[in-house]
Amino acid sequence: MNANTDALLARIEDRREELVALTQALVRIPTINPPGDAYEACAHLLGERLQRRGFQVQYLRATGAPGDNDSHPRVNVVARFEGRPGGECVHFNGHLDVVEPGPGWTHDPFAATVVGDRLYGRGSCDMKGGIAASVIAVEALVDAGIPFAGALEISGTVDEESGGYAGVGYLAGLGYFSPPRVHHVIIPEPLGVDRICLGHRGVWWAEVETRGRIAHGSMPFLGDSAIGHMGAFLHRLETDLGPRLRQRRTAVPVEPPGARASTLNVNSVHGGQAEQRFAMDAEGRPVGELPAPLVAHSCRAVLDRRFIAEETLDGVKAEIVAMLDELKRTRPGFDYGVREIMSFLPSATPRDAPVVEATARAIARVLGREPQFIASPGTYDQKHVVRTGRLDQCIAYGPGILDLAHQPDEYVGIEALVHSSQVMALAALQLMGGAGR
Ligand SMILES: [Zn+2]
């Protein structure tokens, strides 16, 4: 470590107020997804700022992607600063969208109130604090005038909370997350200032439908209830598959440790006729749409199966289908269909990848302790970088406490913002062959 490094860290410490102000400005734009509000304003806040600092800025609307329309345009921003030729590109990617605030807040979710070391607001932790930290990091690097080879990039992308197809997925399809344009990707999701996230478990989403035969609800024996068949399937999930999944443990350090086993969640169940919207009036009489007496001819359940690196996607699908086939053999009238919604394989960036080692050294330098290497229970935009960008040099590293994400009174610690920004700047500098190795 040398004088350049010390000056860079001091430069970021000096920008503490600016870092807080940028996080506040981002939180105050309510980019709620769904439906995808105010993306354009948020992309422009970042783009115009970086353009003033000498970055080349592009706005890329994912026209035609899921969710994109003129009232909710899916606008992404990519900003690039070129150093000397011959080096590699370090890219910081953050998602602009936040989930709805929901109930239970004691602070205005979009006021970005600061109390002590905490900055409160929806998205402060997941992940506008991380975006602001990466912006201050690259600005400090550029302003420091330390010669470096390669390029710095920042992107603000949409829809991570709903799969990222109009965001990183879209840009990856255009080559924005592949060499020779980009070589190292850091996603400042709120994993904690001293933790490096190397990847995530796999996911398989599928809809299972059971089928029956419609009849009058007063004579159910004349029909065959699809809800009854679904009940039998759900019972098997609970009593047969569930215990087996809990025994399958991964060697990958997924956090929290409860997610080091395979898991299955049933996201939703819909059977029979559509849900009626009736209410009770003051006298206790039902008003509005009332249900009709029908035996359910169809019932659908959406499964969210998360699998570990030791499992295969084919195996995950096959064990569900085997249970359904067994029910078909043993339960009179049982019939089913399966529709796959999406799947992603587990991802794991090599422990010795340059982006991992540089970030680990930077954490040790800034915080004076060794990093913890973890993996995430759920997927995030790394899945698109790996699958579509075919780039495995990608980590998640950023400020904030993961458990606070999507909760009421979400906050990010200001000290953590500053420290993570210092780590990001130092890691980027090392990757671009600058001082500080
Ligand atoms: Zn996030």
Coordinates of all heavy atoms in Angstrom, one line a residue, residues 95 97 125-127 160-161 189-190 380 405-406, ligand 1:
H95 N -29.3 -2.1 -9.1 CA -30.7 -2.0 -9.6 C -31.4 -0.8 -9.0 O -31.3 -0.5 -7.8 CB -31.5 -3.3 -9.4 CG -31.7 -3.7 -7.9 ND1 -32.8 -3.2 -7.2 CD2 -31.1 -4.6 -7.1 CE1 -32.8 -3.8 -6.0 NE2 -31.7 -4.6 -5.9
D97 N -34.7 -0.3 -9.0 CA -36.0 -0.6 -8.5 C -36.0 -1.0 -7.0 O -35.0 -1.5 -6.5 CB -36.8 -1.6 -9.3 CG -36.0 -2.9 -9.4 OD1 -34.8 -2.9 -9.6 OD2 -36.7 -4.0 -9.4
C125 N -31.1 0.4 1.9 CA -30.3 -0.8 2.0 C -30.2 -1.5 0.7 O -29.1 -1.9 0.2 CB -30.8 -1.6 3.2 SG -30.3 -3.3 3.3
D126 N -31.4 -1.8 0.1 CA -31.5 -2.6 -1.1 C -32.0 -1.8 -2.2 O -33.2 -1.7 -2.4 CB -32.4 -3.8 -0.8 CG -32.5 -4.8 -2.0 OD1 -31.7 -4.7 -2.9 OD2 -33.4 -5.7 -1.9
M127 N -31.2 -1.1 -3.1 CA -29.7 -1.1 -2.9 C -29.2 0.3 -3.4 O -28.2 0.4 -4.0 CB -29.0 -2.2 -3.7 CG -29.3 -2.2 -5.2 SD -28.4 -3.5 -6.1 CE -26.8 -2.8 -6.1
E160 N -34.8 -5.6 -11.2 CA -34.1 -6.8 -10.5 C -35.1 -7.5 -9.6 O -35.1 -8.7 -9.6 CB -32.9 -6.3 -9.7 CG -32.0 -7.4 -9.1 CD -32.6 -8.1 -7.9 OE1 -33.4 -7.5 -7.1 OE2 -32.2 -9.2 -7.6
E161 N -36.0 -6.7 -9.0 CA -36.9 -7.4 -8.1 C -37.9 -8.3 -8.8 O -38.6 -9.1 -8.2 CB -37.7 -6.3 -7.2 CG -36.7 -5.4 -6.4 CD -36.1 -6.2 -5.2 OE1 -36.3 -7.4 -5.1 OE2 -35.3 -5.5 -4.5
E189 N -25.1 -5.2 -3.9 CA -26.3 -5.6 -3.1 C -25.9 -5.6 -1.6 O -24.7 -5.7 -1.3 CB -26.7 -7.0 -3.5 CG -27.3 -7.1 -4.9 CD -28.9 -6.8 -4.9 OE1 -29.4 -6.4 -3.8 OE2 -29.5 -7.0 -5.9
P190 N -26.8 -5.5 -0.7 CA -26.5 -5.3 0.7 C -26.1 -6.6 1.4 O -26.9 -7.1 2.2 CB -27.9 -4.7 1.3 CG -28.9 -5.3 0.4 CD -28.3 -5.4 -1.0
Y380 N -29.9 -13.1 -7.9 CA -30.0 -11.7 -8.2 C -29.4 -11.5 -9.6 O -29.2 -12.5 -10.3 CB -29.3 -10.9 -7.1 CG -27.9 -11.4 -6.7 CD1 -26.8 -10.8 -7.3 CD2 -27.7 -12.5 -5.9 CE1 -25.5 -11.3 -7.0 CE2 -26.5 -13.0 -5.6 CZ -25.4 -12.4 -6.2 OH -24.1 -12.9 -5.9
A405 N -33.6 -5.8 4.1 CA -34.1 -5.6 2.7 C -35.6 -6.0 2.7 O -36.0 -7.0 3.3 CB -33.3 -6.5 1.7
H406 N -36.4 -5.1 2.1 CA -37.8 -5.3 1.9 C -38.6 -5.2 3.2 O -39.8 -5.4 3.2 CB -38.1 -6.7 1.3 CG -37.5 -6.9 -0.1 ND1 -37.9 -7.8 -1.0 CD2 -36.5 -6.2 -0.7 CE1 -37.2 -7.7 -2.1 NE2 -36.3 -6.8 -1.9
Ligands
ZN1 ZN -31.4 -5.9 -4.3

